[in-house]
Amino acid sequence: MDTDETSRAVELEIDGKKRVFDIDDPKLPDWVDDHAFTSGDYPYKKKLNKHEYKDTLEALQIELVKVQTWLGETGKRVISVFEGRDAAGKGGSIGATRAYMNPRSARIVALPKPTETERGQWYYQRYVDHFPTSGEFVMFDRSWYNRAGVEPVMGFCTPEQHAQFLEETPNFERMPVKAGIHLFKFWLNIGREMQLERFHDRRHSKLKAWKLSPMDIASLNKWDDYTQMRDLMLKETHTEHAPWTVVRANDKRRARINVIRTILNELPYAGKDKGAIGDIDDDIVGMGVEALRS
């Protein structure tokens, strides 16, 4: 529902109620503000204490430096895929992971839309080109899983291409794993009101405005479509050799800590300090689509 020809106000149905959300209105609606943090059945009522977060994160980042040393000495390789809805916190989680690692061998891959040449290639080809060489840790800020979410929802691929992707991806991912690459796949999950709050924050921040794209605006009333594609993706591509780790991410602090803990727990690096790593929060982290059905 548009209020006039220039307004970007949209009518949304949330929990059976009709809501109007105008991202250009500088005042965040109370129905968003009041429910954002606990939306999506988030198990906590407030953010992790700032000082606890900083101390815990620093200890984990020290462990990540050890990981990078181990990678350099052994030639091992790591791929970490970060997926989630728009504004789920992918970039922040990547930033916290890479903050004190040497950028020469800890790379971030965030690809733009494919070129005409890339559209004519094998679908996975442009992603494989960025896979790690000996000693590298590569983080994908979105990945080949564009074809499981954004593309089918927004009409950028055919239903046949989408179905083919879901069928072929488990076998595709088996190849780097069999070659010895450690592969992590993270789905950062946020509630609907939390996404709206973050979109609104981006729209009205001079520092973050670049993060809000026309695609984000177009997706406002496609929440259910994205949910359907997310669940199908997790169901079809969660495998023993390449499992999905689902992280509830309404609180960015808890999400970042648990992402890093997951990586550290799985890697057999030298000098691992299990006490510094701490325990995974089972209220935040789960595996596969079943993690979203609690």
Side-chain angles (χ1 to χ4, degrees), residues 2 62-63 81 112 115 147 175 216 219 223 266 272 277:
D2 291 333
I62 289 171
E63 294 299 300
V81 169
T115 64
R147 181 142 291 180
M175 290 185 283
D216 295 333
S219 72
W223 179 270
E266 292 298 319
K272 180 184 290 191
I277 296 171

Side-chain angles (χ1 to χ4, degrees), residues 25-38:
D25 186 340
K27 184 181 185 305
L28 184 67
D30 290 341
W31 59 269
V32 175
D33 192 29
D34 292 343
H35 300 288
F37 194 80
T38 57

Side-chain angles (χ1 to χ4, degrees), residues 17-273:
K17 297 180 180 179
K18 299 291 186 181
R19 302 288 195 180
V20 175
F21 181 71
D22 185 354
I23 199 168
D24 291 327
D25 186 340
K27 184 181 185 305
L28 184 67
D30 290 341
W31 59 269
V32 175
D33 192 29
D34 292 343
H35 300 288
F37 194 80
T38 57
S39 61
D41 296 322
Y42 193 71
Y44 291 97
K45 303 297 183 184
K46 59 182 180 180
K47 293 180 181 179
L48 181 66
N49 175 272
K50 183 178 181 180
H51 296 294
E52 180 181 352
Y53 167 66
K54 286 187 174 181
D55 291 344
T56 303
L57 182 60
E58 181 177 338
L60 296 174
Q61 289 170 333
I62 289 171
E63 294 299 300
L64 285 168
V65 172
K66 295 179 187 179
V67 166
Q68 192 165 35
T69 299
W70 169 73
L71 291 174
E73 292 175 348
T74 62
K76 300 295 185 181
R77 296 162 290 173
V78 175
I79 293 174
S80 189
V81 169
F82 290 82
E83 292 288 345
R85 298 181 193 266
D86 296 320
K90 299 178 291 295
S93 293
I94 291 170
T97 303
R98 184 175 177 261
Y100 293 98
M101 300 175 79
N102 186 337
R104 292 181 178 177
S105 56
R107 296 189 286 111
I108 299 172
V109 179
L111 300 182
K113 65 181 182 180
T115 64
E116 184 176 349
T117 297
E118 289 171 334
R119 286 195 294 272
Q121 295 173 341
W122 177 49
Y123 175 73
Y124 303 97
Q125 184 168 337
R126 74 186 194 122
Y127 299 102
V128 173
D129 285 345
H130 296 275
F131 276 20
T133 188
S134 176
E136 281 194 324
F137 190 120
V138 174
M139 289 154 275
F140 279 88
D141 187 346
R142 293 198 181 277
S143 66
W144 47 96
Y145 281 99
N146 281 328
R147 181 142 291 180
V150 173
E151 290 191 16
V153 170
M154 303 305 293
F156 297 153
C157 71
T158 66
E160 292 76 18
Q161 289 172 324
H162 176 228
Q164 183 179 15
F165 173 85
L166 294 176
E167 179 183 354
E168 293 181 349
T169 294
N171 289 327
F172 163 69
E173 291 173 346
R174 192 185 305 276
M175 290 185 283
V177 172
K178 287 189 71 173
I181 295 176
H182 296 273
L183 175 60
F184 297 91
K185 300 190 304 188
F186 293 103
W187 176 266
L188 303 184
N189 204 66
I190 56 172
R192 193 170 193 184
E193 288 91 342
M194 178 54 74
Q195 185 188 55
L196 294 174
E197 181 180 89
R198 292 180 183 176
F199 279 177
H200 187 270
D201 181 49
R202 292 176 176 185
R203 171 65 181 85
H204 298 280
S205 167
K206 293 181 180 179
L207 295 174
K208 301 178 184 178
W210 64 272
K211 292 185 175 183
L212 188 69
S213 71
M215 190 76 67
D216 295 333
I217 303 299
S219 72
L220 281 173
N221 58 3
K222 295 183 180 294
W223 179 270
D224 291 340
D225 295 333
Y226 274 105
T227 298
Q228 181 182 1
M229 291 299 103
R230 175 202 67 187
D231 291 355
L232 183 59
M233 175 193 78
L234 293 175
K235 177 178 179 291
E236 297 296 330
T237 63
H238 176 70
T239 61
E240 184 176 351
H241 61 274
W244 276 105
T245 299
V246 176
V247 182
R248 297 182 184 273
N250 282 5
D251 181 4
K252 295 178 181 179
R253 295 170 183 173
R254 288 187 173 92
R256 293 167 185 173
I257 284 172
N258 282 280
V259 162
I260 297 173
R261 281 176 172 161
T262 299
I263 294 171
L264 295 174
N265 277 333
E266 292 298 319
L267 296 178
Y269 62 95
K272 180 184 290 191
D273 184 344

